[in-house]
Amino acid sequence: MLKGVFFDIKNKFQAAVDILRKEKITLDPEDPAAVKQYANVMKTIRQKADMFSESQRIKHDIDTETQDIPDARAYLLKLQEIRTRRGLTDELGAEAMMFEALEKVEKDIKKPLLRSDKKGMDLLVAEFEKGNKKLGIRKEDLPKYEENLELSMAKAQLDELKSDAVEAMESQKKKEEFQDEEMPDVKSLDIRNFI
């Protein structure tokens, strides 16, 4: 079993390296074109290596961590925990609206809402849809939200790569033998030269 896991990881790593050898990545998180290029490269790597995107990973976490939760309140609390753990912000206040919708439905049915209660869950979904409409969120826009999430993750990763590169160059420049050399612009670095 361990051998199989090792070969699977090795194959995924090799697929990623093969793509990174061919694609140019510009370490400029402030340039939208560089961020989009990096996001596309990472998407290609995930597809070739059969790995989850960030939104797929979140969905997988939700599916696996909530499958045994019987009541709607514990389910929403688990969603809140997953969102917080993943570092996702709720700028629109959708989470509070979801809990308000749950309160309203539980008040109407006069008992805690169980996920197995089809009629109660339909009422909750209808309340969620009202909240989504109020916030301007439409189901057909979900792919756009997913793309925005992937772009924000790509920007954060590029930011981290850039700061790591700058830190490495600055520590190198402190060494006596490199003090006469000028530090290159981070944007000019080509990751393909280092693989």
Side-chain angles (χ1 to χ4, degrees), residues 18-39:
D18 288 346
I19 292 166
L20 289 172
R21 279 189 182 128
K22 297 173 192 162
E23 298 288 339
K24 175 155 178 26
I25 294 173
T26 305
L27 297 178
D28 187 4
E30 303 311 315
D31 179 10
V35 172
K36 187 159 181 65
Q37 166 66 11
Y38 179 76

Side-chain angles (χ1 to χ4, degrees), residues 174-185:
K174 290 177 185 173
K175 294 181 181 176
E176 195 174 312
E177 63 265 26
F178 295 107
Q179 294 207 347
D180 295 337
E181 291 187 30
E182 191 175 323
M183 201 163 82
D185 182 11

Side-chain angles (χ1 to χ4, degrees), residues 181-195:
E181 291 187 30
E182 191 175 323
M183 201 163 82
D185 182 11
V186 176
K187 298 174 196 172
S188 69
L189 298 176
D190 192 340
I191 195 170
R192 297 173 293 187
N193 295 331
F194 303 101
I195 295 181

